[in-house]
Amino acid sequence: MEPFERPELYEFHGVSMTHYFTDNWENVQNFKALPDDILIATYPKAGTTWMSYILDLLHFEQEVKDRENSLPIFDRVPFLELTIPNYCTGVEALDTLPTRPRLIKTHLPIQFVPKSFWENNCRVVYVARNAKDNAVSYFHFDRMNMVQPEPKDWNSFLPRFMEGKMVFGSWYDHVTGWWDKKQNYSNLLYMFYEDMVQDTGRELERLCSFLGLSTTAEERECIRGGVQFDAMKANPMANYSTDPVMDQKISPFMRKGKVGDWKNHFTVAQNETFDKHYKKRMKNSTLEFHTEI
Ligand code: A3P
């Protein structure tokens, strides 16, 4: 593997970030969204790749020959703010993307989103995942991703997650910030990872109706099959096996894909402390999550 450098977290306009996502800041902020762009926004590990793959199949499966077999998901859906030395930046990848509409991935908290998305009234799909599973998934991701800060052990990771000392900041601020945006921006569809696990077909229908895509039940069923966890895990275009920054011997990118895996990680005491803190942090929000299904 190439020797990538694990970064330090630092405070950036009040949010914990690493330089890999702030080095290209001016170009990110000045990014020129197009009216038909579709932004896929998430806190890291909430189901970004799953949503990206679904949207890609919905838009391009039939039209773009060989895309299915030759182009990894991270090239089909560029990551807006990503800037890794010696690699093309997210902005450059988007500027040269040949297909329309552009599907764009971001983990930016709401206040950092380039204003051209709002000016162009772009469609946005936000995916949120319950905090406990999100934290567990993030922990394993930081273990295997060489451009993420060292996670250390789970017992020290969890309090840092609760304090928002994670790349892209606080889970609480992220999910509530985007939830609040939805109240006055009608082109935002707010989806939940748990709903997608529970009934992928139903959520596919919601997506199609939001995006104004007319698909047959047969087409949706075909896509539903292709985006199931096991299918994506076995698919080199979806499982990140070609991404040089990940060491999948440490932990696979497509790890478990479950709701409720937090129960295998949280001690009883950690769960009590977490619940108390969660209640306080979320008391002003109408946002509700399922931690099991
Ligand atoms: P786990 O680590 O809990 O397994 P992101 O794409 O935002 O990085 O999110 C990754 C998480 O989404 C991982 O969670 C991954 O397994 C899960 N995931 C990806 N594709 C999925 C699918 N088709 N069904 C269920 N979960 C999926």
Side-chain angles (χ1 to χ4, degrees):
M1 283 192 63
E2 291 177 55
F4 289 101
E5 207 180 309
R6 281 195 183 265
E8 293 290 327
L9 267 190
Y10 79 109
E11 210 55 15
F12 181 77
H13 299 295
V15 178
S16 295
M17 294 290 279
T18 65
H19 73 92
Y20 290 124
F21 302 109
T22 58
D23 277 351
N24 197 27
W25 200 244
E26 215 166 297
N27 290 329
V28 169
Q29 288 304 301
N30 293 329
F31 179 74
K32 292 205 176 4
L34 303 172
D36 64 346
D37 284 346
I38 300 175
L39 187 64
I40 302 165
T42 55
Y43 189 72
K45 311 318 290 174
T48 331
T49 312
W50 194 6
M51 181 54 71
S52 301
Y53 204 59
I54 291 173
L55 290 185
D56 186 79
L57 291 182
L58 277 172
H59 284 94
F60 302 114
E61 199 195 12
Q62 259 117 50
E63 288 153 45
V64 188
K65 209 172 162 274
D66 254 7
R67 183 179 176 91
E68 241 319 87
N69 301 318
S70 62
L71 205 56
I73 191 63
F74 48 82
D75 287 333
R76 300 181 201 184
V77 182
F79 187 177
L80 176 64
E81 59 272 18
L82 183 67
T83 311
I84 293 188
N86 305 323
Y87 287 85
C88 155
T89 66
V91 171
E92 283 162 355
L94 285 161
D95 283 345
T96 53
L97 202 67
T99 42
R100 296 288 180 275
R102 298 187 297 186
L103 304 174
I104 305 175
K105 162 180 166 179
T106 188
H107 289 319
L108 291 174
I110 192 75
Q111 69 275 22
F112 287 170
V113 176
K115 59 180 185 319
S116 63
F117 284 101
W118 312 129
E119 289 165 353
N120 283 289
N121 198 30
C122 293
R123 286 162 302 171
V124 182
V125 179
Y126 186 83
V127 187
R129 185 178 194 182
N130 81 78
K132 292 178 184 177
D133 283 326
N134 207 141
V136 167
S137 184
Y138 211 164
F139 171 64
H140 290 292
F141 183 69
D142 281 0
R143 290 172 53 229
M144 58 84 88
N145 188 321
M146 299 306 138
V147 293
Q148 283 287 106
E150 184 64 60
K152 308 196 181 103
D153 63 309
W154 168 249
N155 293 340
S156 74
F157 182 89
L158 186 59
R160 277 182 279 125
F161 179 89
M162 290 158 67
E163 287 162 29
K165 299 285 181 228
M166 297 280 120
V167 190
F168 295 103
S170 151
W171 175 92
Y172 306 89
D173 293 344
H174 208 283
V175 296
T176 57
W178 279 91
W179 181 251
D180 293 346
K181 178 75 183 176
K182 173 189 129 71
Q183 314 311 320
N184 56 28
Y185 185 79
S186 59
N187 258 353
L188 196 165
L189 181 68
Y190 200 104
M191 300 189 69
F192 294 93
Y193 178 90
E194 293 73 24
D195 291 344
M196 290 166 63
V197 172
Q198 190 188 44
D199 192 339
T200 312
R202 179 194 61 207
E203 298 306 299
L204 262 173
E205 271 187 55
R206 277 187 74 205
L207 261 176
C208 289
S209 110
F210 172 72
L211 297 169
L213 297 171
S214 51
T215 48
T216 63
E218 215 179 3
E219 284 163 348
R220 284 196 304 277
E221 186 50 29
C222 180
I223 291 179
R224 196 187 65 79
V227 303
Q228 276 181 355
F229 182 81
D230 291 340
M232 279 181 60
K233 190 178 170 79
N235 178 348
M237 295 301 120
N239 65 15
Y240 273 85
S241 54
T242 55
D243 186 328
V245 305
M246 296 183 188
D247 186 345
Q248 304 220 23
K249 290 193 289 299
I250 297 177
S251 178
F253 178 82
M254 297 289 299
R255 196 182 58 89
K256 285 197 180 170
K258 293 254 181 304
V259 180
D261 184 42
W262 61 271
K263 291 177 192 166
N264 298 315
H265 291 74
F266 282 60
T267 64
V268 172
Q270 279 174 339
N271 195 34
E272 278 172 11
T273 311
F274 193 92
D275 282 347
K276 260 192 219 145
H277 174 260
Y278 185 93
K279 230 177 170 176
K280 262 196 227 154
R281 282 300 262 110
M282 298 295 277
K283 74 172 187 300
N284 293 326
S285 182
T286 53
L287 191 49
E288 281 180 25
F289 285 89
H290 296 289
T291 53
E292 50 197 320
I293 50 174

